[in-house]
Amino acid sequence: MRLFLPLTIIFFIFSNPLWSQEIENDSILDVVTVTGFNKGEQINKQSAPIAYLSSKELDRFSPLNPVMAWNTLPGVNLEQRAIASYRVSIRGSSIRSPFGVRDVKVYWNGLPFTEANGSTALNLLSNTQMQELEVVKGPAGSLFGAGLGGVMQISNFPSQQESPLQIQLSGGSFNQLNAGIKGQVESGKWTTFYAVDHQQNDGYRNHNELDRQNYQLSSRYQINENHQLDFHVLYNDLFYEIPGGLNAEQFAEDPTQARAGSAPQNSSIDQRTLFYGVGYTSFFGENLSQSTHIAGTYTEFENPFILDYKEDQNREIALRHQWTYDMNLQNVDWQWDAGLEWQYANNSANNYGNVDGQKDTIRFADILKIDRKLFFLQTQVGFQKWQLTLGLSSNLLEYDVNRRVNAFAEPFEFNRDFDNELIPRVALKYQWSESNMTFASLSEGFSSPTLDEIRTNEGSINRNLQAEKGRTYEMGHKYYGKRVQLDATFFYSALRETITTYTNEDGVVLFQNAGATNQIGTEWGLNANWYNNQQGFVNQINSRTSYNFYQFIFDDYQKEGEDYSGNLITGVPQHTFNQTLNLAMTKRLNLNLHYRFVSETPLTDDNEIFADPYHLLNANIDFEVPGSLKINFFGGMENIFNTTYSLGNDLNAFGGRFYQPAPGRNFYLGAKWRL
């Protein structure tokens, strides 16, 4: 009843004839087609909470990274602990992510991008590779497998806006330099996209330098109107320094300083990755289609840290294959989806001592094998204004750790074969009108431990860590008019065996199951066009608003003799609010203003220490030069209030080193030319 009443009010407001008559004079706001749980369906027709960010919206923020742009989406929180060290949280899912992206499944241009171990190296992608973002929030295991946080579909090919050649150059605070060349060329049945990006930055903090090069080549061959082949090659050369966490006293005294020992020990990441893949899509008549995506990855990875020196080689292959069949029987629409996903990794991981940033004596050397399988089946039944979705998946996972060298004990082999996880989903929607839709869903989800959680940095094997499991009840309403778009969602998630983090005295992040948690939340997204006049000085005024409220608590959690049941879940703020205002003027000038508020955030399981709430204001301006040269000048300022805050807190950190300070007031300026 608590969920139904607000949604009923929303429906009556937005279905009111007076409101509809007022706003539907002109078609201003686009309605995009997304993947979601039903490929090729518009976002407002999907019976799931889905957020979307277009390339146009991304370009209204900093060219260096997507952090602030992504954070405008309801339910999404992208953090940057150091430059290019990302952590994504969907509905608080970063509780178990001291670094990297976990508990979220990621696809890039349709290819499986999340590694077999459950982690995602999002820093392989620059803004050029992340032109469009689609986020399914909450468990999607019935179709996509492990990941309680959700699913992210990232794409940049093919593009409807690319010219044959575009050159972009920008610079800014902290000796920031960004240079890129890209373009899309069509010739006969071929469409080819290429991109070269270079980024360098000294960073806001000491020992925080970035140097990244990206090379992408993507091509589509349209065999005929029913068959197409896609090819992708992405090479990434990435180096960045890790300044480390600060305690409260250091954070207040000088947030630009690095943790003691980080610079002398050359704490950093140096990696080179080749990611490649092929996609084949075909249609057999009007009812049957299939899609097949195969991807491969090779990575060389070096990570000097204060305590040790890691050196890895990762080799992976992934396959996703899906069939879709549509039919109509007696005015009942049926759609069937069936398929599989398989990932296999064969990695070598060596750990050495670290002497002044240089590799020393070997401590242990492992061969790591991961075999992950997903089988899924989904049916959608539509009758008149109703649609029922039923989904089920089977999930298999096996880890094998072969420690060939062990300086402290005998070599050993460890094998972990997780139980088969059967993950169902049921969703029901009612289409009140073309612009109004209400949905409800019940979904199970799970998230198996990543290999970094089973085999931790200092080499120990966590043999008892279990997969976290959960059940989510959700109800939402979508109103997509011509000048107003509203997404409102209420949910309740009950998680069991929740994986949480703590840090030992050496600064090593370890993992444990924390009993049960209860998570109640609501997410709101509102896009509006307030003014439209293509003949005046001001052409358009648009706004985007998002708000999250989360009441996430530990339901049953004991640790080291203490009972933390009833406490707020660590690392999740209760309130997050974003407001974006965009003004288009003279058909050439665009001003984008972004305000962000995040409430206080618990940093320890006992809720004794909280990160302070903070307010941010960011601005971006873009001007298209008159004439035929097709040149744009752009610039912006982030953190105009010069707020001191931490973006990517370390939870339950030993010695109180919770804080990863974010940049203060900073600016960027640039230009881009297109053919």
Side-chain angles (χ1 to χ4, degrees):
M1 184 65 183
R2 291 179 179 178
L3 297 180
F4 179 75
L5 182 59
L7 289 173
T8 303
I9 295 172
I10 293 168
F11 165 68
F12 278 115
I13 290 175
F14 284 93
S15 61
N16 186 288
L18 294 178
W19 177 272
S20 301
Q21 183 178 1
E22 176 185 354
I23 65 174
E24 296 195 6
N25 294 328
D26 299 297
S27 179
I28 304 299
L29 300 177
D30 294 330
V31 180
V32 296
T33 298
V34 295
T35 300
F37 287 92
N38 186 6
K39 293 192 300 181
E41 189 175 49
Q42 291 183 323
I43 189 171
N44 59 321
K45 304 295 177 63
Q46 298 253 1
S47 56
I50 301 176
Y52 176 81
L53 188 74
S54 69
S55 58
K56 182 185 297 184
E57 292 161 339
L58 179 67
D59 288 343
R60 292 169 180 168
F61 291 83
S62 168
L64 178 63
N65 62 67
V67 172
M68 289 303 163
W70 285 23
N71 284 342
T72 62
L73 299 176
V76 178
N77 185 39
L78 176 59
E79 300 173 332
Q80 188 170 229
R81 302 169 71 252
I83 295 180
S85 178
Y86 298 126
R87 183 168 67 182
V88 174
S89 172
I90 303 177
R91 294 184 172 175
S93 60
S94 68
I95 180 176
R96 61 186 279 200
S97 304
F99 50 85
V101 180
R102 308 179 190 180
D103 209 16
V104 175
K105 195 72 172 288
V106 179
Y107 296 84
W108 181 67
N109 287 322
L111 300 170
F113 197 71
T114 295
E115 298 173 8
N117 69 14
S119 299
T120 303
L122 194 62
N123 51 18
L124 300 183
L125 307 177
S126 69
N127 276 20
T128 299
Q129 280 81 49
M130 298 187 285
Q131 287 295 292
E132 293 186 60
L133 172 66
E134 171 196 329
V135 182
V136 177
K137 296 175 288 184
S142 63
L143 208 58
F144 297 102
L148 285 164
V151 176
M152 297 171 59
Q153 300 274 358
I154 302 172
S155 62
N156 75 334
F157 175 80
S159 172
Q160 304 300 320
Q161 303 177 358
E162 293 294 345
S163 65
L165 175 64
Q166 178 175 302
I167 300 174
Q168 180 169 311
L169 182 67
S170 66
S173 300
F174 324 123
N175 292 322
Q176 174 190 152
L177 174 64
N178 308 295
I181 300 174
K182 64 178 180 177
Q184 184 167 289
V185 180
E186 297 186 13
S187 177
K189 295 184 177 183
W190 288 91
T191 300
T192 301
F193 173 84
Y194 63 92
V196 178
D197 289 300
H198 170 76
Q199 293 179 315
Q200 64 185 60
N201 196 319
D202 289 345
Y204 168 67
R205 300 176 61 190
N206 297 330
H207 194 68
N208 196 19
E209 181 181 329
L210 165 73
D211 191 342
R212 172 167 57 190
Q213 287 79 40
N214 274 32
Y215 307 87
Q216 179 191 349
L217 182 64
S218 295
S219 192
R220 169 168 294 178
Y221 179 64
Q222 195 70 43
I223 302 172
N224 54 46
E225 62 180 8
N226 293 321
H227 300 269
Q228 68 183 31
L229 279 168
D230 290 341
F231 305 91
H232 301 277
V233 177
L234 174 67
Y235 179 75
N236 170 270
D237 189 343
L238 173 66
F239 172 81
Y240 65 93
E241 296 172 329
I242 304 173
L246 303 179
N247 60 35
E249 182 179 353
Q250 295 167 331
F251 184 46
E253 176 188 3
D254 179 12
T256 67
Q257 65 180 299
R259 175 186 171 185
S262 292
Q265 293 290 81
N266 188 29
S267 184
S268 59
I269 300 288
D270 189 0
Q271 67 181 37
R272 288 153 299 282
T273 299
L274 177 64
F275 180 84
Y276 51 93
V278 59
Y280 173 49
T281 303
S282 53
F283 297 87
F284 305 94
E286 297 181 355
N287 303 103
L288 182 64
S289 64
Q290 73 83 35
S291 62
T292 303
H293 292 85
I294 303 173
T297 308
Y298 176 76
T299 299
E300 294 180 347
F301 176 89
E302 290 187 59
N303 176 206
F305 187 56
I306 293 177
L307 303 173
D308 57 10
Y309 195 114
K310 292 176 62 178
E311 193 173 71
D312 299 345
Q313 285 188 339
N314 302 333
R315 308 166 193 82
E316 299 208 9
I317 188 169
L319 163 70
R320 182 174 177 88
H321 180 61
Q322 181 172 342
W323 286 89
T324 300
Y325 181 69
D326 297 288
M327 63 181 180
N328 183 281
L329 295 175
Q330 302 296 322
N331 295 322
V332 177
D333 295 320
W334 292 77
Q335 178 175 305
W336 293 86
D337 294 279
L340 60 89
E341 190 171 307
W342 172 65
Q343 293 177 281
Y344 180 77
N346 188 341
N347 306 331
S348 62
N350 301 331
N351 188 290
Y352 303 85
N354 186 345
V355 178
D356 299 328
Q358 300 299 315
K359 189 169 55 176
D360 193 35
T361 306
I362 192 167
R363 296 177 175 178
F364 53 87
D366 296 339
I367 296 295
L368 312 171
K369 296 181 180 180
I370 309 165
D371 193 330
R372 183 187 295 271
K373 301 181 182 72
L374 159 70
F375 304 92
F376 59 88
L377 176 66
Q378 176 179 274
T379 183
Q380 298 185 76
V381 185
F383 178 70
Q384 295 182 354
K385 296 185 177 183
W386 293 92
Q387 185 185 75
L388 174 67
T389 301
L390 301 172
L392 181 68
S393 72
S394 170
N395 299 266
L396 303 169
L397 174 64
E398 181 179 0
Y399 287 144
D400 186 84
V401 180
N402 181 5
R403 180 148 298 171
R404 301 174 302 154
V405 177
N406 193 346
F408 310 107
E410 291 296 321
F412 64 88
E413 186 167 356
F414 169 74
N415 180 272
R416 180 76 180 274
D417 195 349
F418 288 85
D419 294 336
N420 182 17
E421 299 286 351
L422 295 176
I423 305 299
R425 180 178 183 266
V426 180
L428 181 67
K429 79 170 185 179
Y430 183 77
Q431 195 75 42
W432 303 87
S433 65
E434 183 64 25
S435 55
N436 274 289
M437 185 269 282
T438 299
F439 71 90
S441 66
L442 168 61
S443 54
E444 296 279 350
F446 84 105
S447 186
S448 52
T450 68
L451 190 59
D452 289 332
E453 294 164 345
I454 295 288
R455 173 193 173 274
T456 53
N457 278 350
E458 91 290 9
S460 64
I461 303 296
N462 192 335
R463 300 173 185 267
N464 299 316
L465 198 62
Q466 302 296 321
E468 55 183 1
K469 304 174 184 178
R471 175 177 295 171
T472 297
Y473 304 85
E474 190 142 17
M475 191 171 186
H477 187 85
K478 300 182 182 184
Y479 172 81
Y480 275 62
K482 301 297 177 65
R483 301 180 73 173
V484 172
Q485 296 176 348
L486 172 76
D487 288 89
T489 305
F490 300 82
F491 66 89
Y492 167 70
S493 295
L495 268 63
R496 309 180 303 278
E497 300 292 349
T498 305
I499 297 176
T500 61
T501 68
Y502 66 99
T503 307
N504 68 11
E505 60 184 7
D506 294 323
V508 177
V509 178
L510 302 174
F511 303 86
Q512 61 190 358
N513 292 109
T517 63
N518 288 325
Q519 303 179 8
I520 299 174
T522 181
E523 297 162 348
W524 296 70
L526 178 66
N527 299 339
N529 170 259
W530 299 100
Y531 179 78
N532 184 56
N533 180 5
Q534 297 304 310
Q535 305 305 318
F537 177 79
V538 177
N539 306 129
Q540 274 194 1
I541 301 177
N542 296 324
S543 69
R544 299 174 64 235
T545 307
S546 68
Y547 171 70
N548 313 323
F549 171 75
Y550 296 148
Q551 183 71 15
F552 291 2
I553 62 172
F554 291 113
D555 181 51
D556 179 18
Y557 180 22
Q558 292 81 34
K559 182 176 73 172
E560 298 177 354
E562 298 290 337
D563 188 356
Y564 298 128
S565 303
N567 286 4
L568 294 173
I569 290 181
T570 324
V572 182
Q574 287 190 294
H575 303 274
T576 304
F577 177 80
N578 287 275
Q579 180 64 60
T580 302
L581 181 66
N582 184 264
L583 288 84
M585 296 166 283
T586 70
K587 297 185 180 180
R588 297 188 180 277
L589 184 65
N590 188 281
L591 174 65
N592 196 67
L593 301 173
H594 170 224
Y595 167 76
R596 176 172 173 82
F597 168 73
V598 178
S599 65
E600 64 178 7
T601 304
L603 300 178
T604 56
D605 294 341
D606 58 16
N607 287 182
E608 293 292 328
I609 302 176
F610 284 75
D612 292 335
Y614 62 85
H615 304 261
L616 299 177
L617 181 64
N618 308 307
N620 175 279
I621 190 167
D622 183 283
F623 176 69
E624 182 180 355
V625 177
S628 59
L629 290 179
K630 297 183 180 180
I631 296 177
N632 285 59
F633 292 102
F634 61 89
M637 182 174 291
E638 292 192 328
N639 195 0
I640 294 174
F641 296 148
N642 202 29
T643 301
T644 300
Y645 71 106
S646 175
L647 188 61
N649 302 298
D650 292 338
L651 308 179
N652 298 308
F654 184 83
R657 294 188 291 266
F658 305 108
Y659 305 100
Q660 300 279 352
R665 184 184 299 116
N666 64 96
F667 74 93
Y668 55 89
L669 295 170
K672 56 185 175 184
W673 170 82
R674 63 188 184 279
L675 188 64

